[in-house]
Amino acid sequence: MMSEDETPEDIQTLPLDGWHRAQGARMVPFAGYEMPIQYEGIVAEHEWTRNHAGLFDVSHMGQLLLSGPDLDAAVEAVLPIDLSTLKLGRQRYSLLLDENGGVLDDLMVSRWPEHLYLVVNGATKWDDIGHLREHLPDDITLNHLEDRALLALQGPEAVDALARHTKGEQSLSDLTFMTFGQFTIAGHDVTIARAGYTGEDGFEISVAADAVEEVAALLCGEPEVKPIGLGARDSLRLEAGLPLYGHDLSPDTSPIEAGLVFGINKRRRSPVDQGGGGYPGAERINREIVEGTSRKWVGLALDGRLPAREGAEIFAGDTQVGTVTSGGFSPTLGHPIAIGYVDAAHAEIDTALEVQVRNKRLPARVAKMPFVQHRYFRGS
Amino acid sequence: MSRYYTEDHEWIEVEGEAATVGITDYAQEQLGDIVFVELPDEGAELEKSKDAAVVESVKAASDVYAPISGTVIEVNSALEDEPALVNSSPEEDGWFFKLTVADESELEGLMDEAAYKSFVDGL
């Protein structure tokens, strides 16, 4: 009843590989690496993260450091970001776009004292590096931090568990959503950002690859923390309405269709003669911001228990009006949820639609996203 | 009464001219949390090794194949309300469907419990 996953020959291992296996993880190939899909079970891990704190190994992601003369101007020629408003200690979501405004990747950009630090998706990092190298001036240095691992600690109790181990000039609890700082954990230098991919409060911890096992073990020694696999990472981000590159975003989608207009910073949206534009795909994207798009990325809530998954066709009556790009069962809500692109005429909240799963048409309703409320810490 | 196993991790228990089909403990363990089971219609004619049911876990949809050919005579309606029975009791309460044994010789190629156990140990 099951087909075994094909194992490509060039599959690589991450620094925590042995540790995951010792924790009872089931490992699968993902983004070119052996990664843990689950430990005790996806639903249990999902619920643990929503209620306590989950530790995710996201070391497959690319950590890049950029430096050089006129760095901001050089990076603004490649990304639709306004770096003049990105202050030291802050990070921001941005998009790597092709000349047509299609999405090559989504990423985080952080302002370090002398550098910009980027975190890009694991499956796309080699292409991203090639793209950046090609489009950035030669005097901009791009350093791929392959000797760094990346952990995410997510959930309402993450701050308590992590604060027991961090030392730094500032207190961990001073960090607010989308800010970062330098700390030490057990004497190891770490960069900690208050951010994540679950909709919960939480942190992302960049640490030397040769120290990551010690840090992971310390954190999982806390009563609030359990290791969490990729399966729950996907169901958590789906409930949080966050797109997954390669599924919800691709070169065939524009960020405006995907509702990511915030990824095009305000100054960059102006017409070129008013100082806007100047990034790949600006013409199409700035036009879409004004005129709207013919399709939109929407959330769908389904009745019953049968999930609609990526590729499922969305119907209004007998007419196909869209396609599901991500879908699954929501452990928090107890029913299936999905995300997909539909014709703009059918994108209003509460629009009744149907989704085809095998030989069944399942009733679905356009739902507000996020499906489960974000609980980011924006300051008290 | 004898129970047989397939390489696709279904079990089939034959009792006279009828047989009960489910998935093995190993299978449910691999699939993880099961949220929906799509069962065949009663009266459906199943063909050996062809699609018979679909198991939806949190992770993915997986096909379940008919271990032998036959006509579906009963489905486990308890799975509609409680698909997690497949996780908690895969080889008893979490059975999928019963069918007639159309051709007894189709059982010959299946494994017995000992053979299935060593098959799983080798995976």
Side-chain angles (χ1 to χ4, degrees):
Chain A
M1 56 172 287
M2 285 166 295
S3 57
E4 292 296 316
D5 287 319
E6 299 283 322
T7 305
E9 283 170 16
D10 57 350
I11 200 94
Q12 294 182 289
T13 55
L14 291 168
L16 279 179
D17 191 82
W19 185 83
H20 290 309
R21 292 172 198 273
Q23 305 299 309
R26 184 179 308 152
M27 306 295 281
V28 297
F30 181 83
Y33 296 93
E34 286 278 316
M35 294 193 66
I37 182 132
Q38 67 173 67
Y39 302 83
E40 60 176 307
I42 293 173
V43 172
E45 292 167 32
H46 180 111
E47 289 172 349
W48 184 267
T49 305
R50 286 267 180 259
N51 293 308
H52 305 284
L55 186 75
F56 302 76
D57 180 12
V58 288
S59 301
H60 63 302
M61 299 184 83
Q63 301 182 62
L64 313 179
L65 210 49
L66 301 178
S67 59
D70 298 320
L71 180 63
D72 286 12
V75 171
E76 284 193 358
V78 182
L79 302 177
I81 195 169
D82 180 359
L83 287 168
S84 70
T85 57
L86 183 67
K87 294 178 187 158
L88 182 64
R90 300 200 143 266
Q91 79 172 36
R92 192 177 292 170
Y93 181 80
S94 193
L95 295 149
L96 203 59
L97 303 169
D98 66 20
E99 287 303 321
N100 297 317
V103 182
L104 297 172
D105 201 3
D106 60 345
L107 68 154
M108 288 291 179
V109 180
S110 301
R111 168 81 70 193
W112 288 19
E114 308 291 335
H115 300 84
L116 291 171
Y117 165 78
L118 275 49
V119 178
V120 302
N121 279 302
T124 47
K125 65 184 176 186
W126 299 110
D127 287 341
D128 291 355
I129 290 167
H131 180 90
L132 290 167
R133 208 43 297 163
E134 185 185 337
H135 291 90
L136 289 171
D138 288 343
D139 55 3
I140 299 294
T141 302
L142 189 163
N143 187 2
H144 181 197
L145 306 178
E146 290 188 87
D147 55 349
R148 305 290 289 182
L150 193 64
L151 298 174
L153 187 68
Q154 300 282 301
E157 296 175 356
V159 63
D160 297 330
L162 184 55
R164 279 178 222 129
H165 296 281
T166 49
K167 288 184 183 150
E169 286 181 15
Q170 58 180 327
S171 158
L172 185 74
S173 57
D174 290 341
L175 292 180
T176 54
F177 183 57
M178 298 294 265
T179 68
F180 68 90
Q182 305 296 331
F183 298 86
T184 61
I185 297 178
H188 303 293
D189 289 326
V190 295
T191 303
I192 299 179
R194 199 156 191 168
Y197 193 48
T198 59
E200 297 295 329
D201 182 24
F203 301 87
E204 291 185 340
I205 306 157
S206 174
V207 53
D210 58 12
V212 66
E213 188 166 331
E214 186 183 349
V215 171
L218 270 179
L219 294 175
C220 282
E222 295 299 326
E224 298 94 340
V225 181
K226 286 185 179 182
I228 308 295
L230 287 175
R233 182 170 160 84
D234 191 51
S235 55
L236 288 159
R237 71 92 194 169
L238 182 63
E239 288 184 347
L242 301 170
L244 175 59
Y245 191 81
H247 300 265
D248 308 303
L249 302 174
S250 77
D252 295 328
T253 57
S254 92
I256 309 308
E257 293 175 324
L260 300 174
V261 66
F262 64 90
I264 317 296
N265 288 172
K266 196 162 173 248
R267 172 167 62 82
R268 314 302 301 277
R269 297 179 206 168
S270 317
V272 177
D273 56 12
Q274 291 165 38
Y279 60 90
E283 194 186 335
R284 170 193 178 183
I285 285 171
N286 286 6
R287 187 179 68 241
E288 287 185 352
I289 291 172
V290 175
E291 297 176 4
T293 57
S294 59
R295 56 176 197 165
K296 287 183 174 170
W297 200 57
V298 297
L300 296 170
L302 284 78
D303 296 334
R305 298 187 61 91
L306 176 55
R309 302 185 191 274
E310 182 175 4
E313 296 173 347
I314 304 168
F315 286 86
D318 291 333
T319 311
Q320 188 186 348
V321 296
T323 307
V324 168
T325 52
S326 286
F329 190 81
S330 163
T332 305
L333 301 175
H335 61 74
I337 54 175
I339 310 180
Y341 290 96
V342 299
D343 294 345
H346 301 280
E348 286 288 319
I349 300 294
D350 281 335
T351 303
L353 296 169
E354 288 182 314
V355 185
Q356 179 94 31
V357 177
R358 295 186 287 277
N359 58 353
K360 291 194 179 70
R361 287 278 178 89
L362 308 176
R365 185 176 51 76
V366 177
K368 199 165 173 287
M369 286 202 285
F371 296 102
V372 172
Q373 208 54 49
H374 294 162
R375 297 196 288 179
Y376 302 135
F377 179 74
R378 297 178 190 275
S380 44
Chain B
M1 211 163 67
S2 24
R3 190 172 282 220
Y4 303 90
Y5 298 84
T6 72
E7 292 189 359
D8 298 316
H9 308 285
E10 291 100 9
W11 57 263
I12 176 166
E13 180 146 324
V14 182
E15 207 177 347
E17 297 186 346
T20 306
V21 174
I23 66 170
T24 65
D25 188 50
Y26 175 85
Q28 71 79 20
E29 172 83 32
Q30 292 293 311
L31 290 169
D33 304 295
I34 289 163
V35 296
F36 186 85
V37 182
E38 190 171 298
L39 294 167
D41 294 329
E42 283 179 19
E45 305 278 342
L46 301 183
E47 214 178 313
K48 181 181 165 75
S49 303
K50 296 284 167 58
D51 293 351
V54 183
V55 185
E56 297 269 1
S57 69
V58 173
K59 203 162 45 180
S62 307
D63 291 324
V64 175
Y65 307 114
I68 59 169
S69 306
T71 305
V72 177
I73 49 181
E74 190 182 347
V75 299
N76 186 0
S77 54
L79 297 183
E80 271 176 43
D81 294 328
E82 206 182 339
L85 274 178
V86 181
N87 290 121
S88 59
S89 181
E91 305 200 18
E92 285 177 43
D93 297 346
W95 61 277
F96 279 33
F97 56 85
K98 296 183 182 185
L99 80 172
T100 60
V101 180
D103 176 1
E104 226 169 283
S105 71
E106 286 181 346
L107 295 165
E108 282 166 17
L110 302 178
M111 290 176 276
D112 64 11
E113 189 177 352
Y116 178 69
K117 188 177 178 306
S118 63
F119 171 72
V120 166
D121 288 345
L123 292 178

